[in-house]
Amino acid sequence: KKLEKLKQIEELFRGNTFNKDDDQESEAKDAMTVVLRPMFESIVTETDPRVRKFGCELSERVCVLLGENMSAFSSASSVSSSAAVERNGGHFASVLESLFVLVSDGQFPAVQKRATAASANAFREVLVNAAIEGANVDPMIDSEGSLDEGEEKTNTQTTKKKTKKKEESRQYSNVALMWEKALALARAISANVSNETVNDGVRMQSAKFCESACLLLAGVGWGASVVKPTHKLLKLDELGKLSDEKRDALGDGLKVTIEKGAKPCGPLTLTLIGALGTVCVKSERHAVESLQALVNASSTLSKRFKSEEGSGGSSGGAISASAKASASKAFAQTFTEIAKKAPSFAISGELKDGLAS
């Protein structure tokens, strides 16, 4: 019954979009404002995994819808459209808060995995809209009814009162809040990659998220050129550092899995190898570090193979021949792809020797 109600609410959101007539837009705005936050709050407190999983899917679709709305708002330069952008930013923040809870839901791995998958698309929507709408957004904005800065001040006491009132009328921009929530969500997902207590399927999905976020933050695959040095919300050097963190999460995850994992040649290892290979080929920023992580991991795995052979498999948990073959093949294919497509400057010196061996 609750699932049916949630589906009806989603239809209400979809049936009234920004580009329809004013009455319908107002109705959609009111529905979002009144229903969205309490709806997602009820989803994350629900114990039925079916409802929680549907909440993950709904989060993804709502973020896409909000992204479409944001694009429509940005085409109109008016006070009302600015207010709509702020309102939409608040809606994004509400959805991201719910996803943060769901990606941490270790009780239901299927929910956690679906929430992580939904977060990849949600993060892209937020980054693109923060880039477009945040160019001139001061994290602190004037709320309605704020005083005119040029208003005449008659005496010192009046000036102090007006200054206090002006400060009280300032509030945190929802567009900035949206971006903060997205970063918190990304950090939580990144931490899951190396967390051995987390389900392997969730860790694999987390690795895919990190691959996607790493490339997006490095400016790959979208109009990153809109982020100018004067951008108020997004700073190019900060985006670069955030991208580095996602690449390092992949490298650390691969290192932990190969050195300590019970399945050093399992699907998680193959996913991490593929993710680092893709990052190496598609981003010049990450080419050297990604290749270094892969070469180091390959060397460590080779040593683990030899160690196991030396002990005659007496250490327990022996790696099967088929698993070894799968991991070896994954490394070989990835290194071949890197040799063909990665920037030439990345393949030199010790890395070139390591790649060859």
Side-chain angles (χ1 to χ4, degrees), residues 55 68 82-83 92 132 160 180 189 249 264 294 300 336 346 350:
E68 293 171 354
S82 297
F92 260 123
I132 296 171
K160 288 181 178 179
E180 275 196 8
I189 294 173
L294 284 165
T300 300
T336 299
E350 292 182 5

Side-chain angles (χ1 to χ4, degrees), residues 21-36:
D21 62 68
D22 292 339
D23 289 340
Q24 287 183 313
E25 192 276 325
S26 178
E27 185 179 337
K29 175 191 71 176
D30 291 341
M32 283 272 193
T33 303
V34 173
V35 175
L36 196 71

Side-chain angles (χ1 to χ4, degrees), residues 2-3 6 36-37 39-63 93-120 122 181 184-186 188-189 192 198-199 201-203 205-206:
K2 188 165 186 175
L3 282 174
L6 290 172
L36 196 71
R37 178 175 287 276
M39 178 184 72
F40 278 107
E41 286 177 348
S42 72
I43 287 172
V44 298
T45 56
E46 177 61 57
T47 57
D48 186 342
R50 294 173 302 171
V51 175
R52 293 175 75 82
K53 191 172 182 181
F54 179 79
C56 301
E57 298 165 358
L58 181 59
S59 297
E60 185 173 18
R61 292 194 291 268
V62 168
C63 280
S94 296
V95 179
L96 293 169
E97 285 177 5
S98 301
L99 279 172
F100 182 88
V101 174
L102 294 168
V103 299
S104 307
D105 185 7
Q107 184 180 359
F108 302 112
V111 173
Q112 195 176 14
K113 182 178 178 181
R114 186 63 186 86
T116 303
S119 297
K181 297 294 182 183
L185 177 64
I189 294 173
N192 284 340
V198 174
N199 174 275
V202 175
R203 293 174 70 187
Q205 197 63 59
S206 299

Side-chain angles (χ1 to χ4, degrees), residues 81-96:
S81 65
S82 297
V85 166
E86 276 297 310
R87 187 171 62 244
N88 227 41
H91 296 331
F92 260 123
S94 296
V95 179
L96 293 169

